[in-house]
Amino acid sequence: MEFSGVKRRKPRLADDQRNACYPHSLQFYLQPPSGNVSLTEFETLAIDRVKLLKSVENLGVSYVKGTEQYQSKLEAELRKLKFSYRESLEDEYEPRRKDHISHFILRLAYCQSEDLRRWFIQQEMDLLRFRFSILPKDKIQSFLKDSHLQFEAISDEEKTLREQDIMASSPSFGGTQLELESVYKIPFAEALDLFRGRKVYLENGFAYVPHKDIVAIILNEFRTKLSKALALTARSLPAVQSDERLQPLLNHLSHSYTGQDYSTQGNVGKISLDQIDSLSTKSFPPCMRQLHKALRENHHLRHGGRMQYGLFLKGIGLTLEQALQFWKQEFIRGKMDPDKFDKGYSYNIRHSYGKEGKRTDYTPYSCMKIILTNTPGQGDYHGCPFRHSDPELLRQKLQAYKIPAAGLSQILDLVKGTHYQVACQKFFEMTHNVDDCGFSLSHPNQFFFESQRILGGGKDIKKESVQPETPQTRPSVQRSKDSSSALDSLSSSLDMDLEELEELLQ
Amino acid sequence: MEAFDPAELPELLKLYYRRLFPYGQYYRWLNYGGVIKNYFQHREFSFTLKDDIYIRYQSFNNQSELEKEMQKMNPYKIDIGAVYSHRPNQHNTVKLGAFQAQEKELVFDIDMTDYDDVRRCCSSADTCSKCWTLMTMAIRIIDRALKEDFGFKHRLWVYSGRRGVHCWVCDESVRKLSSAVRSGIVEYLSLVKGGQDVKKKVHLSEKIHPFVRKSINIIKKYFEQYALVDQDILENKESWDKILALVPENILSQDHFLRDELQQGFQRHSSSLQRWENLKNIINKYQKNNKNDKCGPWLEWEIMLQYCFPRLDINVSKGINHLLKSPFSVHPKTGRISVPIDLQKVDQFDPFTVPTISSICHELDVISTKEEKEKGAESDIKPRTRDYKKTSLAPFVKVFEQFLENLDKSRKGELLKKSDLQKDF
């Protein structure tokens, strides 16, 4: 990666030129930004966008996307953080520029792992979908053209010629008039999800897509392009990370705001083995509670269960010595030979604490990981009960946990709608007697941490100063202060040449 | 026509590959104008030899090498695969993971055995004139969609040699399509869903997609002759019970069940034709009386589609590296040549008059003997490979040549367009 030695000073743009830079209130982020930005601004832009994407995520979980409430709240958030979203009477240049630069900065922070990429792409897609939905009809065509998407809206004559066929093909038409909608002509291969189910009219190799359906196609295009771009960015990342000004900021960003991974053991040694039984019923999430119960009853757990539960225990503070003792005690009760345990199982426990083999300190599984991978089979107790249990069994389990009937049906409805983590949040609320748990659940250790916080009377468990925050539990002002103080220790007076950044992001 | 005896294959194939196989046209096809470097050289062929010996990853440098190898190996069967990143016959020398299938024609395989649940005359590998209409309808329906909906221009339909047909779509852009898009195309073309345990395989809704509507219109042209006369699908109780099973049980009108009324109607009439007319009338009546959307003209269409609509094997079409029987290959069991089908005369195509390898070899012998007599001792020892023209294979090669002409024309058109854009006169 070359860093250009020459710093080009760009003159301040005249009004016309400013508007020409950003002709639309939204964009596909095809070109990296150019120009200069100070390190402080760099940081502010990044943090603001993370706040924005976090809001997008939360609103998406709390409200159905596209409803009046969702739309108005998201718009309010965009306005508050001063990002562009729709055309207004005020000067659009600053919010659009902010949008542009902050997106590219976050690419650096979020390209590093599959989880981060997936999260980033999902929120950016939801954001784009919202902005596109409020774009006025006359602006759509020019936006698509400028974005180099080959989506031609057909003329009214062409539309009338094919009106019957288009109406008969598209499920979005329930008798509404075609006259009011735009119809786009795109090469059939670009409308794969539509034509495979015969949900669009095909003629001579082109799909005639009504406006409602074009959004799905655009989002797909966006996702594909962004996914490729992130892969490319990841390859250039070592060069970026070697820049001392950027490295702490980028690491800080991705850890703070997509949820911590609970690998740092701030509570190391604070749990004693004889507390585990009572903790399992008070503060463990259902997935871990069921694993603990199975372990106690069968004096054994299979590999999947040992990994999921073992790493969770590490995350709540169990030391290696405690873990070895814990598992050995239980397995011996199951008539396992102590020597066999030492030979077979203890190596694995030490391995997951990073004391053997390639010495990776394995991190406890997040909810996403538990839900999506390693589906439990017969004789397994791992997985997510909301995802993997039969609904009837789940109902019985929840009843045994003393969840009242009204809450029970709410939880089961959420499960039906595949909102597994929200269902677990509801479970948290019911068992801890709170109306709003105040966090967006994404990790079993988070469940435990929050539970302990409430049960401990709201006092914060002592944390090391380096430990990243949990999402959404501190007011935003405080966050920026923390991070800018971290940066002050570096040379904050340097100007970051964005052209260097541009080269890195190509 | 000379009867075909599989035991004679080795001798017959020797003659076929020496004097009858149309190598020139075959190479012209797969070389695609030589526009892309090494396109032919990177193409995989597979041979099935005597005693079922199967060899993959065959590839050739040019037409002459292809000819020599085929004459040497005398394959019972030839399959065509994908164009790879490297010469297939050197694939073992390529770094692991670097040897990739890159392009291939989009292909379809329609097989008569997939219709065993709806044809009464034959089963499994057999076909007869009564059920061959299924292939005719399939070709018309699929070809229309490939041409009019997808805009594909170069479609070669080939008789498989026994119980079905293949389609090779050879447009330049189509050869580059991904596996996902190929699967999508098959899905678009599929309407009959379900295996042995599913009784009702076609479900329509009130909204009919133009593809479905146009397909039904094609079937309508053949339905009376094919289903009501040849197949006689309402001949007796056993056969009409199968049709009744496709009518939902719960459709009621004034305390009468549609199924019951249809049953009574069938009993009152004496031919499939009458019974079908009756069925249409009764359904119409129920539709008018019924306020709900359970009953409509699509009931009749669902039955027609289940009995007549093409059934595709998605696995053949979706894989870029899938190997499919080559045109002009011989079917080892029937001896028939896999000949191209003339789309202009698809209704007249009769699989039972397709030349077999024994019949064309015999024709060649007769003509050669005659020529020898006429020209004296000038009998050719040199292998001549354009002798197909003297046999019943000729018209089929002509169809193939027409297909190649169209490919050439398109290619020239594309090159002109490109050079115009680059302003290179």
Side-chain angles (χ1 to χ4, degrees):
Chain A
M1 274 291 126
E2 293 302 321
F3 279 74
S4 78
V6 177
K7 289 186 193 215
R8 272 175 269 160
R9 296 255 147 235
K10 291 215 160 73
R12 206 192 130 70
L13 297 167
D15 269 354
D16 281 345
Q17 285 177 303
R18 279 154 65 95
N19 290 337
C21 281
Y22 298 114
H24 305 283
S25 54
L26 74 171
Q27 60 163 296
F28 285 113
Y29 312 104
L30 299 171
Q31 290 300 322
S34 59
N36 295 335
V37 98
S38 73
L39 213 46
T40 325
E41 191 186 3
F42 185 92
E43 195 218 330
T44 317
L45 288 175
I47 289 176
D48 278 353
R49 194 177 192 88
V50 173
K51 283 185 208 164
L52 174 64
L53 294 185
K54 260 282 151 187
S55 302
V56 169
E57 182 189 34
N58 289 327
L59 289 173
V61 167
S62 319
Y63 302 98
V64 176
K65 290 180 209 171
T67 55
E68 163 77 76
Q69 278 187 308
Y70 175 85
Q71 303 277 95
S72 58
K73 284 189 188 249
L74 187 45
E75 179 161 343
E77 201 51 38
L78 282 157
R79 200 181 313 126
K80 186 175 90 183
L81 291 165
K82 300 210 176 59
F83 282 101
S84 57
Y85 54 100
R86 70 163 90 239
E87 282 191 11
S88 63
L89 298 167
E90 296 142 27
D91 181 13
E92 288 289 318
Y93 179 74
E94 283 305 326
R96 292 179 187 181
R97 174 181 171 270
K98 178 170 175 165
D99 181 56
H100 185 204
I101 301 178
S102 60
H103 169 90
F104 275 89
I105 297 175
L106 288 200
R107 281 195 192 181
L108 296 173
Y110 285 89
C111 64
Q112 302 179 56
S113 78
E114 202 46 58
D115 279 341
L116 289 173
R117 287 188 212 179
R118 202 183 307 139
W119 184 87
F120 181 64
I121 292 175
Q122 182 60 54
Q123 312 322 321
E124 288 284 346
M125 274 179 65
D126 284 347
L127 183 58
L128 185 66
R129 185 187 295 116
F130 168 72
R131 284 172 165 160
F132 195 78
S133 72
I134 56 176
L135 202 57
K137 192 171 167 196
D138 53 336
K139 301 286 179 208
I140 292 177
Q141 191 64 75
S142 62
F143 168 63
L144 291 178
K145 187 147 153 271
D146 288 345
S147 309
H148 304 294
L149 288 171
Q150 313 296 332
F151 298 166
E152 239 180 80
I154 59 177
S155 67
D156 284 335
E157 292 96 45
E158 300 221 351
K159 236 200 298 178
T160 335
L161 223 71
R162 299 172 175 85
E163 185 164 343
Q164 291 303 321
D165 284 332
I166 296 176
M167 302 262 287
S169 318
S170 181
S172 14
F173 287 113
T176 46
Q177 290 295 60
L178 190 57
E179 291 152 17
L180 305 169
E181 288 248 339
S182 300
V183 174
Y184 302 89
K185 183 177 159 178
I186 72 175
F188 80 91
E190 292 178 31
L192 176 58
D193 284 328
L194 285 178
F195 84 75
R196 74 194 308 175
R198 282 192 300 271
K199 293 194 170 38
V200 72
Y201 173 59
L202 287 189
E203 187 188 297
N204 207 25
F206 287 93
Y208 287 79
V209 188
H211 183 75
K212 288 195 187 76
D213 296 328
I214 206 89
V215 185
I217 296 179
I218 289 174
L219 286 173
N220 244 337
E221 267 282 303
F222 178 68
R223 188 219 318 261
T224 313
K225 288 206 166 81
L226 186 54
S227 190
K228 285 201 182 117
L230 286 176
L232 277 172
T233 309
R235 279 188 233 157
S236 335
L237 207 51
V240 179
Q241 284 179 324
S242 67
D243 187 325
E244 293 153 3
R245 298 170 296 176
L246 298 181
Q247 188 200 24
L249 172 63
L250 293 176
N251 288 340
H252 176 74
L253 275 175
S254 58
H255 279 299
S256 309
Y257 297 98
T258 58
Q260 49 175 329
D261 54 11
Y262 297 92
S263 59
T264 57
Q265 291 158 55
N267 303 312
V268 167
K270 298 207 79 191
I271 312 281
S272 74
L273 289 184
D274 49 18
Q275 287 179 287
I276 293 187
D277 282 324
S278 89
L279 280 175
S280 78
T281 54
K282 282 200 291 214
S283 289
F284 280 13
C287 53
M288 302 304 172
R289 186 168 170 177
Q290 116 185 334
L291 277 165
H292 180 76
K293 182 156 176 279
L295 176 64
R296 286 291 192 224
E297 279 174 10
N298 306 325
H299 312 298
H300 186 268
L301 272 184
R302 289 162 123 215
H303 178 79
R306 293 200 303 273
M307 288 305 287
Q308 186 176 317
Y309 188 37
L311 289 172
F312 168 77
L313 290 173
K314 183 172 84 155
I316 68 173
L318 228 60
T319 63
L320 176 58
E321 291 66 38
Q322 287 176 307
L324 286 166
Q325 195 186 347
F326 174 72
W327 290 98
K328 188 167 178 177
Q329 258 172 11
E330 201 55 55
F331 274 48
I332 287 179
R333 275 194 208 124
K335 310 284 195 275
M336 173 168 293
D337 190 70
D339 286 332
K340 182 172 181 199
F341 180 87
D342 287 332
K343 283 198 187 115
Y345 295 87
S346 67
Y347 176 89
N348 287 330
I349 298 171
R350 285 204 306 282
H351 195 282
S352 55
Y353 273 74
K355 302 289 185 233
E356 299 280 0
K358 61 180 173 159
R359 320 250 158 184
T360 317
D361 201 5
Y362 288 95
T363 57
Y365 296 167
S366 65
C367 290
M368 274 278 89
K369 183 160 180 168
I370 293 173
I371 289 171
L372 291 177
T373 60
N374 199 13
T375 309
Q378 234 359 3
D380 283 325
Y381 294 91
H382 63 269
C384 170
F386 299 101
R387 163 77 178 91
H388 296 117
S389 287
D390 181 72
E392 259 321 296
L393 272 174
L394 181 61
R395 176 193 295 272
Q396 286 171 28
K397 251 183 242 185
L398 295 172
Q399 277 167 342
Y401 293 160
K402 309 264 191 333
I403 303 290
L408 194 75
S409 57
Q410 267 190 307
I411 291 178
L412 291 173
D413 277 340
L414 286 166
V415 167
K416 220 172 172 181
T418 74
H419 305 298
Y420 309 116
Q421 286 152 269
V422 186
C424 197
Q425 265 169 235
K426 201 105 216 87
F427 175 86
F428 182 97
E429 284 163 14
M430 310 247 83
T431 50
H432 292 73
N433 242 318
V434 291
D435 278 333
D436 187 347
C437 61
F439 60 92
S440 194
L441 180 66
S442 59
H443 201 293
N445 287 86
Q446 181 190 15
F447 186 108
F448 178 80
F449 173 79
E450 295 289 341
S451 169
Q452 286 287 289
R453 223 158 64 94
I454 289 183
L455 295 173
K459 270 188 300 179
D460 281 0
I461 297 181
K462 185 172 77 133
K463 283 190 281 200
E464 291 171 7
S465 52
V466 181
Q467 187 167 16
E469 307 115 350
T470 50
Q472 264 215 315
T473 49
R474 294 251 200 92
S476 46
V477 176
Q478 206 171 353
R479 264 204 287 267
S480 344
K481 279 216 196 111
D482 284 350
S483 39
S484 44
S485 60
L487 281 167
D488 280 346
S489 60
L490 307 169
S491 36
S492 54
S493 55
L494 285 173
D495 264 85
M496 168 70 172
D497 192 329
L498 264 179
E499 280 184 309
E500 296 170 4
L501 189 61
E502 181 180 333
E503 280 173 67
L504 294 172
L505 292 167
Q506 293 285 4
Chain B
M1 203 175 278
E2 201 69 13
F4 169 71
D5 178 7
E8 291 175 9
L9 262 178
E11 279 307 305
L12 294 169
L13 286 170
K14 221 163 113 192
L15 188 60
Y16 181 65
Y17 291 131
R18 211 160 52 87
R19 295 179 60 183
L20 293 166
F21 189 92
Y23 294 103
Q25 292 85 341
Y26 195 69
Y27 177 78
R28 202 172 136 206
W29 171 33
L30 295 174
N31 192 37
Y32 286 101
V35 174
I36 302 175
K37 195 161 166 259
N38 284 328
Y39 208 70
F40 182 80
Q41 291 74 5
H42 288 186
R43 170 80 67 169
E44 179 191 359
F45 295 86
S46 77
F47 290 163
T48 307
L49 308 177
K50 191 157 176 278
D51 298 325
D52 274 335
I53 299 172
Y54 182 64
I55 37 178
R56 267 193 79 172
Y57 300 113
Q58 301 299 291
S59 60
F60 312 101
N61 278 323
N62 48 44
Q63 177 182 335
S64 167
E65 224 182 78
L66 172 75
E67 275 183 50
K68 288 204 182 77
E69 272 306 293
M70 279 170 67
Q71 283 158 7
K72 185 173 107 188
M73 308 271 239
N74 228 27
Y76 271 37
K77 202 165 155 268
I78 303 172
D79 288 345
I80 300 177
V83 175
Y84 282 81
S85 53
H86 303 77
R87 283 176 158 73
N89 63 6
Q90 293 172 1
H91 74 284
N92 285 321
T93 67
V94 180
K95 191 174 80 170
L96 203 64
F99 181 69
Q100 297 287 336
Q102 293 181 324
E103 294 192 17
K104 194 174 73 71
E105 295 73 11
L106 172 64
V107 295
F108 296 95
D109 180 351
I110 307 177
D111 191 328
M112 202 63 98
T113 45
D114 291 338
Y115 297 79
D116 281 356
D117 57 316
V118 290
R119 48 176 186 149
R120 303 177 64 212
C121 50
C122 310
S123 70
S124 97
D126 304 322
T127 69
C128 68
S129 55
K130 289 199 187 142
C131 52
W132 184 260
T133 319
L134 283 169
M135 290 295 125
T136 311
M137 290 190 284
I139 295 175
R140 281 214 186 276
I141 290 172
I142 302 290
D143 196 69
R144 184 214 67 77
L146 293 175
K147 176 176 168 191
E148 294 174 9
D149 297 358
F150 288 100
F152 298 155
K153 296 192 171 49
H154 305 287
R155 312 166 312 274
L156 180 70
W157 286 89
V158 182
Y159 172 54
S160 75
R162 188 162 60 157
R163 60 188 192 213
V165 294
H166 300 156
C167 178
W168 295 76
V169 185
C170 304
D171 299 37
E172 189 184 336
S173 57
V174 175
R175 287 181 262 138
K176 298 180 161 73
L177 288 177
S178 69
S179 181
V181 175
R182 289 170 204 244
S183 296
I185 294 173
V186 175
E187 263 187 72
Y188 177 90
L189 298 169
S190 299
L191 266 176
V192 181
K193 301 197 176 127
Q196 275 179 326
D197 47 337
V198 175
K199 278 230 165 73
K200 189 166 170 63
K201 299 184 160 84
V202 181
H203 292 90
L204 298 177
S205 59
E206 209 174 334
K207 223 184 200 183
I208 305 281
H209 188 277
F211 165 76
V212 179
R213 190 190 77 232
K214 292 174 189 173
S215 304
I216 291 171
N217 287 341
I218 292 175
I219 292 176
K220 278 187 181 161
K221 295 195 186 119
Y222 296 86
F223 190 74
E224 193 179 294
Q225 181 63 41
Y226 166 72
L228 302 176
V229 176
D230 293 341
Q231 291 292 322
D232 214 356
I233 60 176
L234 292 167
E235 183 191 8
N236 52 31
K237 181 156 171 23
E238 192 192 335
S239 62
W240 75 55
D241 273 348
K242 294 203 178 107
I243 309 271
L244 286 177
L246 304 181
V247 176
E249 297 182 281
N250 49 8
I251 298 184
L252 261 180
S253 170
Q254 294 162 344
D255 289 340
H256 294 286
F257 280 106
L258 176 59
R259 261 203 201 176
D260 293 340
E261 214 174 310
L262 285 172
Q263 170 115 303
Q264 288 157 19
F266 292 161
Q267 283 159 343
R268 274 203 309 273
H269 291 91
S270 50
S271 77
S272 283
L273 272 153
Q274 289 177 349
R275 289 176 186 130
W276 185 256
E277 235 2 80
N278 183 251
L279 177 142
K280 286 201 287 193
N281 293 335
I282 296 179
I283 291 180
N284 206 15
K285 189 180 79 180
Y286 269 68
Q287 183 193 352
K288 292 207 164 82
N289 292 342
N290 249 329
K291 289 298 181 335
N292 65 32
D293 59 354
K294 286 218 181 100
C295 189
W298 57 87
L299 269 180
E300 174 202 330
W301 299 335
E302 281 169 354
I303 299 173
M304 289 168 74
L305 290 166
Q306 182 149 342
Y307 274 78
C308 303
F309 189 85
R311 300 164 182 214
L312 300 172
D313 182 350
I314 188 168
N315 293 310
V316 170
S317 310
K318 78 178 181 196
I320 296 180
N321 52 6
H322 188 95
L323 291 143
L324 186 65
K325 186 156 184 245
S326 170
F328 297 106
S329 189
V330 182
H331 197 293
K333 295 208 175 74
T334 61
R336 298 216 190 262
I337 314 290
S338 290
V339 290
I341 298 175
D342 187 350
L343 278 176
Q344 310 298 324
K345 302 185 187 150
V346 94
D347 286 337
Q348 292 86 352
F349 181 82
D350 182 357
F352 302 101
T353 58
V354 168
T356 62
I357 189 173
S358 28
S359 67
I360 53 177
C361 286
H362 177 74
E363 283 170 15
L364 193 62
D365 273 340
V366 165
I367 292 168
S368 298
T369 331
K370 227 167 69 178
E371 278 183 350
E372 258 179 61
K373 283 200 183 124
E374 283 166 11
K375 293 182 183 171
E378 272 173 58
S379 51
D380 268 24
I381 311 165
K382 207 174 60 184
R384 291 195 316 247
T385 52
R386 290 167 71 80
D387 283 341
Y388 67 81
K389 285 194 182 175
K390 299 175 183 164
T391 67
S392 329
L393 198 58
F396 297 101
V397 179
K398 221 174 161 63
V399 174
F400 190 52
E401 282 173 342
Q402 186 58 56
F403 167 76
L404 295 173
E405 284 290 318
N406 290 338
L407 270 173
D408 275 343
K409 250 187 254 168
S410 264
R411 247 193 313 268
K412 288 204 177 81
E414 275 308 307
L415 285 172
L416 272 172
K417 248 199 274 174
K418 279 198 189 128
S419 74
D420 277 349
L421 284 171
Q422 287 163 4
K423 308 229 187 325
D424 243 29
F425 303 128

